[in-house]
Amino acid sequence: MTAPGGRRVRGVLFDMDGVLLDTERLSTTLLPEMIRQLGYEPPADLLDRIRGTNVQTCSRIYQEVFGDGFPREELNRRYFHALMQRAESGDMPLKPGLKACFEGLRSRGLRTALATSTDRNVVEHYMRYIPLLRTAFDETVCGMEIISGKPAPDIYQKAAEKLHLLPEDCVGAEDSRNGLMSLRAAHCCSVMIPDMLPYSAELTPYVDFVLHDLTELCPLIDRLNGEK
């Protein structure tokens, strides 16, 4: 087994929400409740549309769905405040295998980058209160630091560049359709670790490998690099 293109894996790029933190599951209750508190009824497909996108893209989708008068900034403020409070209280749920995965990547000498649509102030807040994230990454790229958010390739291209690697030398771990499309467009090896969105044939063009959880990522990289 080899990575697409036959290149050796030298770096690993991570989405955050739904891959490292179990925040997507929280959003399925938090966001609809908050939208209703603001006097609007969320359509059934809203979460699928915004999952994996940055605040700017979310705001555009909210405007398309609810109209110009929708209080987008207030919703974002309430939502991220609730998540940051969970981080502060030590109640932020982590995805299975997180600690072992990062220990394994370090022991293999692989470089790591976070490529998340979440704003940097929220990411830094998480890192302040979630010890496992503090030293997990060599580089980070956050949502408003690129021109076009996921599903465009920009964020993964920039993450690879900050690691001084080509995207083709990197594996990317994602859970959302937008994120997987971004990885494919960036020419990274695309790994899906399903969260709220199950793997389906519709996603085949954007996915190279499907894993059950983070514990399977290091063994996959070993196989791709011909080491085990």
Side-chain angles (χ1 to χ4, degrees), residues 1 12 28 44 49 80 99 109 124 132 166 185 194 199 211 223:
M1 181 187 295
V12 187
T28 63
R49 291 183 62 184
F80 287 112
K99 183 174 185 291
E124 290 180 348
L132 279 176
L166 295 173
Y199 176 75
L211 303 183
R223 294 195 299 273

Side-chain angles (χ1 to χ4, degrees), residues 16-17 21 23-24 26 30 53-56 73 75-88 92 114 116-131 133-134 137 140-145:
M16 182 175 68
D17 296 292
L21 307 180
T23 45
E24 297 290 9
L26 290 175
L30 284 177
T53 63
N54 61 20
V55 170
Q56 187 176 34
E73 293 183 2
L75 175 62
N76 289 332
R77 186 194 67 78
R78 293 186 186 188
Y79 177 65
F80 287 112
H81 178 69
L83 291 182
M84 289 190 290
Q85 281 189 315
R86 278 184 172 267
E88 286 181 30
M92 178 64 77
L114 180 68
T116 175
S117 298
T118 302
D119 283 359
R120 181 164 293 277
N121 65 312
V122 178
V123 171
E124 290 180 348
H125 191 89
Y126 288 167
M127 289 183 174
R128 190 175 304 122
Y129 290 100
I130 303 173
L133 296 185
R134 289 177 196 158
F137 307 105
T140 58
V141 184
C142 298
M144 301 303 289
E145 298 168 1

Side-chain angles (χ1 to χ4, degrees), residues 87-107:
E88 286 181 30
S89 66
D91 195 31
M92 178 64 77
L94 308 180
K95 298 297 285 186
L98 180 63
K99 183 174 185 291
C101 178
F102 279 109
E103 288 176 348
L105 295 175
R106 287 296 182 214
S107 72

Side-chain angles (χ1 to χ4, degrees), residues 18-187:
V19 174
L20 307 179
L21 307 180
D22 206 2
T23 45
E24 297 290 9
R25 204 168 305 277
L26 290 175
S27 73
T28 63
T29 55
L30 284 177
L31 272 174
E33 287 175 4
M34 290 177 177
I35 290 170
R36 292 187 182 102
Q37 289 168 5
L38 293 169
Y40 296 80
E41 182 60 30
D45 67 342
L46 179 63
L47 293 179
D48 285 338
R49 291 183 62 184
I50 65 174
R51 190 167 287 125
T53 63
N54 61 20
V55 170
Q56 187 176 34
T57 303
C58 277
S59 294
R60 176 178 55 76
I61 294 171
Y62 291 148
Q63 184 177 15
E64 291 174 0
V65 172
F66 299 115
D68 292 338
F70 184 74
R72 305 183 299 272
E73 293 183 2
E74 176 61 15
L75 175 62
N76 289 332
R77 186 194 67 78
R78 293 186 186 188
Y79 177 65
F80 287 112
H81 178 69
L83 291 182
M84 289 190 290
Q85 281 189 315
R86 278 184 172 267
E88 286 181 30
S89 66
D91 195 31
M92 178 64 77
L94 308 180
K95 298 297 285 186
L98 180 63
K99 183 174 185 291
C101 178
F102 279 109
E103 288 176 348
L105 295 175
R106 287 296 182 214
S107 72
R108 289 161 173 79
L110 294 164
R111 292 179 59 72
T112 57
L114 180 68
T116 175
S117 298
T118 302
D119 283 359
R120 181 164 293 277
N121 65 312
V122 178
V123 171
E124 290 180 348
H125 191 89
Y126 288 167
M127 289 183 174
R128 190 175 304 122
Y129 290 100
I130 303 173
L132 279 176
L133 296 185
R134 289 177 196 158
T135 59
F137 307 105
D138 297 300
E139 298 290 347
T140 58
V141 184
C142 298
M144 301 303 289
E145 298 168 1
I146 37 88
I147 295 173
S148 299
K150 302 172 186 179
D154 303 34
I155 195 165
Y156 282 111
Q157 290 172 337
K158 185 169 183 178
E161 180 184 357
K162 290 185 76 170
L163 293 179
H164 305 289
L165 298 173
L166 295 173
E168 293 87 344
D169 296 326
C170 298
V171 162
E174 269 285 359
D175 68 301
S176 72
R177 181 183 291 103
N178 286 320
L180 293 164
M181 292 173 68
S182 178
L183 283 172
R184 173 59 76 238
H187 302 294

